[in-house]
Amino acid sequence: QVQLVESGGGSVQAGGSLRLSCAASGRAVTFMGWFRQAPGKEREFVAAIAWSADYTYYADSVKGRFTISRDNAKNTVYLQMSTLKPEDTAVYYCAARDGRTTRRGEDWPWWGQGTQVTVSS
């Protein structure tokens, strides 16, 4: 099994920054990623990173503002969020999968519990 635990969410004013963390344990996986879901909205892909390769992927809505990274020694993936906007408000979920990465949430079998990010104007 794979267990994922997110942390680092909170409330911040527009233009501010937050860093989310996701600690992974259990079997090894190929990709780690972040998704988000705002109230009344469908789950949205945010970013993904290969565990053992230099591949990163971003949604167009966050390119240039968010950075995904990992610390292999700590089995932890991070999402550095800068220049936050009110539309970034959502529950952010860490996810993991094997094989080729995808933007479809249903293709990711392992998920964390989510952490709330609220951006006020």
Side-chain angles (χ1 to χ4, degrees), residues 28-34 45 47-58 68-72 76-78 95-102 108:
V29 296
T30 305
F31 286 94
M32 301 287 290
W34 290 94
F45 171 81
I49 187 168
W51 194 250
S52 300
D54 294 327
Y55 300 129
T56 57
Y57 309 88
Y58 296 95
I68 189 170
S69 62
R70 65 179 188 273
D71 185 334
N72 292 62
T76 300
V77 64
Y78 305 95
R97 73 181 304 272
D98 288 326
R100 183 177 292 106
T101 191
T102 172
W108 295 70

Side-chain angles (χ1 to χ4, degrees), residues 47-109:
I49 187 168
W51 194 250
S52 300
D54 294 327
Y55 300 129
T56 57
Y57 309 88
Y58 296 95
D60 289 341
S61 60
V62 305
K63 286 182 179 178
R65 299 189 299 118
F66 291 12
T67 301
I68 189 170
S69 62
R70 65 179 188 273
D71 185 334
N72 292 62
K74 296 182 177 180
N75 292 322
T76 300
V77 64
Y78 305 95
L79 185 68
Q80 177 66 50
M81 305 183 294
S82 300
T83 319
L84 283 162
K85 305 174 181 179
E87 51 263 44
D88 294 319
T89 296
V91 176
Y92 283 71
Y93 296 93
C94 180
R97 73 181 304 272
D98 288 326
R100 183 177 292 106
T101 191
T102 172
R103 294 170 179 260
R104 302 200 313 173
E106 55 265 42
D107 293 332
W108 295 70

